[in-house]
């Protein structure tokens, strides 16, 4: 339908073109490209907002205050300073998330098939996935959805994580085996 209307280029915002039939597009001489830099800051800021909401329990406090309940029981969160953050995927959004969290005094562990020098320059350390999961207080997902990353967070990998660790996913839902996570 798009080709019939004269469309010759599909530009997908984000790091994955998984929702586009790229093979078919190429057969009809339609180019498919990614626009990856548009949302990197927004993604990183949103990831950190989720971390802060969970660490400080602001989501629970907001609900209580809205309902007229000013009880503080169960609202004690934790400081981010000296916590270990595991970044799975160190493209633009992952690196920016790490930079922001370094500003809170967090230690950075990273896992990616390609090492990003920026992560190393900010004091981050690349480790195996198993080590990252075992040592991280917060795990933030920034990997693309590929056959190798599909369901990478599953019952087995969840079992490697620290008790009480936060899992943040601002990437693709397919990275998670939803049945194991929920």
């Amino acid at each position: 339908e798009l080709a019939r209307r004269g469309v010759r280029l599909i530009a997908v915002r984000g790091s994955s073109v998984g929702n586009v039939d790229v093979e078919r597009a190429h057969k009809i001489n339609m180019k498919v490209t990614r626009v990856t830099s548009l949302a990197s800051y927004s993604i990183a800021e949103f990831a950190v907002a989720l971390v802060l909401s969970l660490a400080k329990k602001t989501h629970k406090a907001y609900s209580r205050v809205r309902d007229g309940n000013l009880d503080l029981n169960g609202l004690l969160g934790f400081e981010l300073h000296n916590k270990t953050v595991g970044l799975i995927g160190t493209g633009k959004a992952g690196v920016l998330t790490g930079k922001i969290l370094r500003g809170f005094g967090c230690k950075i562990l990273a896992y990616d098939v390609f090492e990003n020098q920026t992560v190393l320059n900010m004091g981050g350390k690349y480790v195996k996935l198993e080590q990252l999961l075992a040592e991280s207080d917060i795990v933030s997902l920034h990997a693309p959805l590929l056959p190798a990353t599909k369901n990478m967070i599953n019952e087995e990998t969840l079992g490697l994580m620290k008790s009480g660790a936060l899992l943040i996913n601002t990437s693709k839902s397919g990275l998670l085996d939803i049945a194991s996570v929920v």
Side-chain angles (χ1 to χ4, degrees):
E1 176 65 22
L2 293 175
R4 192 172 58 76
R5 293 179 180 243
V7 174
R8 293 283 163 235
L9 172 70
I10 297 175
V12 179
R13 182 177 179 192
S15 62
S16 173
V17 293
N19 58 339
V20 177
D21 186 344
V22 177
E23 188 175 313
R24 171 123 170 83
H26 286 275
K27 284 181 183 175
I28 58 174
N29 295 320
M30 187 179 295
K31 292 183 180 182
V32 179
T33 186
R34 299 175 301 130
V35 182
T36 59
S37 62
L38 286 179
S40 298
Y41 284 94
S42 292
I43 292 166
E45 291 168 5
F46 184 62
V48 174
L50 292 173
V51 169
L52 286 167
S53 181
L54 293 172
K56 301 301 182 185
K57 301 190 180 187
T58 53
H59 61 296
K60 289 183 178 182
Y62 171 81
S63 294
R64 283 193 191 174
V65 170
R66 187 190 63 222
D67 295 337
N69 178 354
L70 302 180
D71 184 10
L72 295 177
N73 283 334
L75 294 181
L76 181 62
F78 62 87
E79 291 183 352
L80 296 181
H81 188 75
N82 282 329
K83 294 296 185 212
T84 300
V85 174
L87 301 173
I88 298 177
T90 55
K92 291 176 184 174
V95 167
L96 291 169
T97 301
K99 283 183 175 182
I100 296 168
L101 290 168
R102 280 288 298 141
F104 283 95
C106 294
K107 300 171 191 166
I108 305 296
L109 296 180
Y111 172 79
D112 199 315
V113 293
F114 302 106
E115 288 191 6
N116 186 325
Q117 188 61 44
T118 305
V119 173
L120 300 171
N121 292 346
M122 69 177 164
K125 177 182 173 188
Y126 279 89
V127 296
K128 293 184 182 210
L129 179 62
E130 295 78 9
Q131 182 180 348
L132 182 146
L133 294 171
E135 295 180 12
S136 295
D137 301 294
I138 301 160
V139 175
S140 190
L141 303 178
H142 301 278
L145 181 58
L146 304 168
T149 60
K150 185 172 175 56
N151 294 327
M152 72 185 307
I153 302 299
N154 53 50
E155 191 171 341
E156 180 184 340
T157 53
L158 285 170
L160 299 174
M161 292 177 65
K162 286 182 175 182
S163 178
L166 304 182
L167 177 62
I168 305 295
N169 184 15
T170 55
S171 189
K172 304 293 183 186
S173 62
L175 298 176
L176 308 170
D177 173 26
I178 299 299
S180 297
V181 175
V182 174

